[in-house]
């Protein structure tokens, strides 16, 4: 016996492993990596809110609150994107966000994330994680949302 599609509530996130907001930061139009990440998440039962490219900080914060997401992912390919990611992290901290923040893109690095972005937002409750590539993504997101989150973050 199947389920009648008209009876499914599109706003019910309870059947998903988690919810993730994905955005390419303001000043950057590149989205291939973000799109790959979104597909990988979707194929692993995560609900993805992909809010596009050239997304201003205010919109990222607004949509994260609106969708009440579990994790926020920022993407960028060009060097100015790195500075915009710092701005987003600072504003997330000011606004009292508690979601883990994932950073990815061609110009991003573990070092830049640790030195420039993390000091503005990181805690054990809401870490900042550099995601090297989509193949590591599901392990990272499931660890961030799992019971062993603190062990993973440390």
């Amino acid at each position: 016996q199947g389920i009648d599609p008209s009876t499914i509530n599109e706003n019910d996130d309870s059947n998903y492993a988690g919810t993730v907001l994905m955005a390419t930061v303001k000043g950057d139009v590149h989205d291939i990596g973000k799109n790959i990440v979104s597909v990988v998440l979707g194929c692993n039962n995560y609900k993805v809110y992909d809010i596009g490219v050239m997304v201003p900080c205010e919109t990222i914060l607004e949509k994260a609150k609106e969708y009440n997401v579990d994790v926020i992912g920022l993407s960028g390919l060009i060097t100015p994107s790195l500075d915009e990611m710092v701005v987003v992290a600072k504003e997330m901290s000011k606004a009292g966000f508690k979601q883990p923040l994932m950073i990815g893109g061609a110009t991003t690095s573990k070092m830049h994330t640790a030195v420039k972005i993390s000091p503005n937002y990181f805690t054990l409750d809401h870490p900042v994680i550099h995601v090297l590539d989509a193949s590591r993504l599901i392990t990272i997101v499931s660890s961030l949302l799992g019971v062993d989150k603190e062990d993973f973050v440390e």
Side-chain angles (χ1 to χ4, degrees):
Q1 187 73 276
I3 296 174
D4 180 0
S6 65
T7 64
I8 295 174
N9 179 356
E10 288 183 20
N11 297 319
D12 180 8
D13 295 339
S14 64
N15 291 321
Y16 291 97
T19 57
V20 181
L21 179 95
M22 293 296 304
T24 299
V25 295
K26 181 177 83 176
D28 201 328
V29 298
H30 301 93
D31 66 351
I32 292 173
K34 176 181 62 68
N35 292 345
I36 292 169
V37 165
S38 295
V39 168
V40 169
L41 286 166
C43 289
N44 284 275
N45 199 35
Y46 288 90
K47 184 165 187 175
V48 178
Y49 296 97
D50 183 341
I51 59 172
V53 299
M54 298 275 297
V55 183
C57 176
E58 303 78 34
T59 304
I60 294 169
L61 303 185
E62 188 180 289
K63 293 297 182 183
K65 284 181 183 175
E66 178 184 334
Y67 299 135
N68 192 28
V69 295
D70 299 316
V71 179
I72 298 169
L74 303 180
S75 174
L77 178 71
I78 58 177
T79 305
S81 300
L82 300 175
D83 294 333
E84 187 61 22
M85 290 176 181
V86 172
V87 169
V88 173
K90 285 179 181 177
E91 293 304 314
M92 286 175 67
S93 184
K94 282 186 203 172
F97 276 76
K98 300 293 181 208
Q99 293 93 334
L101 177 61
M102 297 187 305
I103 302 295
T107 57
T108 65
S109 68
K110 188 174 184 177
M111 180 65 77
H112 180 269
T113 301
V115 172
K116 297 288 188 177
I117 300 173
S118 287
N120 294 293
Y121 185 68
F122 180 93
T123 71
L124 288 178
D125 288 331
H126 49 83
V128 178
I129 306 288
H130 178 254
V131 181
L132 184 61
D133 64 61
S135 69
R136 300 164 196 246
L137 184 68
I138 299 308
T139 301
I140 291 169
V141 176
S142 62
S143 297
L144 290 173
L145 299 180
V147 293
D148 297 329
K149 174 175 137 182
E150 212 169 284
D151 292 336
F152 174 75
V153 172
E154 288 176 354

